[in-house]
Amino acid sequence: MTERPEWLRAPRFSAIWIATALLFAISPLLASGSVSHSALLSTLPFAAILAIAAIGQTLVVQQRGLDFSVAGMITLSTIIVTKYPHGHDGRLPAAIGLIALACIASGLISGIAITRFSVTPLVATLGVNALLTGVVLQITSGSATAAAPGGLARFALDKTLGIPDTVIVAIVVIAIVAAAVRVTVVGRRFVLVGANPAAAHAAGIRVNRYVLSTYVLASLVYGGAGILIAGFLGTPGISAGNDYLLPTIAAVVLGGTSLAGGIGSVVATAGGALFLTQLEQVVLGSGAGISGQYIIQGTIIALGMAIRNFPRSSLAGLGARIAASVKNGPGATGPPGGPIAQTPKASGD
């Protein structure tokens, strides 16, 4: 079968950007004012924070896992950064350091449970999320009224050259992570560990170390997102992270990262975050309830799981039949067991 010319192939993770462009194009038809200057300025910070949180989820998914500790880690970070400084900017660095320690501990617990005790990522991270929620309730006694320090609030709400500071932070973090995964030796080994752990182990790569480090790094990213959320919201409350569990997974799926692990893109995940945030604005602007958002997010995740479980051989066969049909006409595909199905594989395939 003749492959398509290189110039006809769409980039691997381009679909989300096409979908996002189409969404923005039709948004005014569905909800007037949803792409106005003021609407975009209010939407972009939320998209940026979601994109940052989804970076951690992307890295975990690339290692064939799912991280359900997102909500607990974000919430704990918002509590620490608001309660510990008591409104004093001078105590903010110490609070951030405390958050970093909490993130490292959380990631280590998840990673050790998965790599040393063979606990499935879903169960391990759910347990860690419950632990983090318990810590939040212990610290706050069930209520949180502390406000973020003034310096953090000003930074999270300010703009630089007309661009929200949260967006700038998101761009910088995404660029650093994307470059590290794409061009460094560690990044290439990270991708190999996610795509084929057995082959990585045979190549002498310490697979468990990479998996463990991934959960620690992901937890640190969630902590950073929590700090920005606290500054942006001012008084975040004790459930600030609950709105980020499903959206981070949906953003990863929309970005094209396979839930089966391996190659992914934090840049495409950021596109998924932007898509979801704009879709939320359109849904709310059109008068639909918040239930519509959960239905959409759940549907996206369900489709991602379905694609993960669909046999790769079936997908490959379908692609071969479609390609042959485009080249030779509809009759070239034939019924099951026809000419294409009966063609023997070349040796070495």
Side-chain angles (χ1 to χ4, degrees):
M1 181 184 66
T2 304
E3 296 184 356
R4 287 183 298 170
E6 190 69 27
W7 60 273
L8 283 178
R9 298 180 185 176
R12 182 183 182 93
F13 298 104
S14 62
I16 183 57
W17 298 108
I18 297 173
T20 302
L22 291 175
L23 176 62
F24 274 91
I26 66 174
S27 290
L29 304 178
L30 302 175
S32 60
S34 58
V35 292
S36 64
H37 183 262
S38 59
L40 291 177
L41 286 180
S42 64
T43 298
L44 287 176
F46 289 102
I49 294 173
L50 174 57
I52 292 173
I55 290 173
Q57 192 71 262
T58 303
L59 297 177
V60 170
V61 169
Q62 285 186 262
Q63 295 303 314
R64 303 186 174 198
L66 277 178
D67 197 341
F68 279 67
S69 69
V70 178
M73 195 67 254
I74 288 179
T75 300
L76 180 59
S77 300
T78 63
I79 296 302
I80 293 175
V81 82
T82 55
K83 193 174 183 65
Y84 181 79
H86 295 290
H88 300 291
D89 290 335
R91 298 181 180 178
L92 184 58
I96 293 176
L98 186 59
I99 290 172
L101 291 176
C103 291
I104 292 171
S106 171
L108 284 174
I109 294 173
S110 295
I112 291 173
I114 293 166
T115 58
R116 298 298 182 186
F117 299 100
S118 300
V119 180
T120 60
L122 175 62
V123 173
T125 55
L126 273 176
V128 170
N129 186 70
L131 176 62
L132 294 172
T133 302
V135 173
V136 168
L137 294 176
Q138 178 66 31
I139 294 174
T140 63
S141 298
S143 63
T145 57
L152 176 61
R154 286 191 297 272
F155 173 81
L157 295 172
D158 279 352
K159 303 178 183 65
T160 301
L161 300 177
I163 303 174
D165 288 344
T166 51
V167 175
I168 295 175
V169 172
I171 291 173
V172 171
V173 175
I174 290 168
I176 291 173
V177 175
V181 172
R182 186 175 182 85
V183 303
T184 67
V185 173
V186 172
R188 290 193 291 270
R189 290 178 176 176
F190 167 84
V191 174
L192 176 59
V193 168
N196 195 329
H201 180 75
I205 299 174
R206 298 183 176 180
V207 173
N208 285 348
R209 179 175 295 183
Y210 274 84
V211 175
L212 179 63
S213 300
T214 297
Y215 282 89
V216 173
L217 179 58
S219 190
L220 288 168
V221 172
Y222 306 147
I227 293 171
L228 290 177
I229 292 170
F232 191 79
L233 297 180
T235 307
I238 62 171
S239 59
N242 293 351
D243 293 332
Y244 287 86
L245 176 56
L246 287 181
T248 55
I249 300 174
V252 172
V253 173
L254 283 170
T257 298
S258 171
L259 292 178
I263 297 176
S265 171
V266 293
V267 177
T269 294
L274 180 59
F275 180 94
L276 285 174
T277 307
Q278 178 61 19
L279 182 62
E280 177 182 350
Q281 296 300 312
V282 172
V283 169
L284 295 178
S286 62
I290 194 172
S291 59
Q293 302 173 41
Y294 289 114
I295 292 173
I296 293 171
Q297 293 169 8
T299 302
I300 291 170
I301 295 171
L303 289 175
M305 294 298 293
I307 293 174
R308 173 183 180 176
N309 294 324
F310 198 80
R312 293 181 181 269
S313 58
S314 298
L315 289 174
L318 178 61
R321 289 192 292 272
I322 293 175
S325 175
V326 171
K327 179 181 177 183
N328 302 320
T333 57
I340 290 181
Q342 295 172 356
T343 300
K345 292 184 178 180
S347 60
D349 284 355

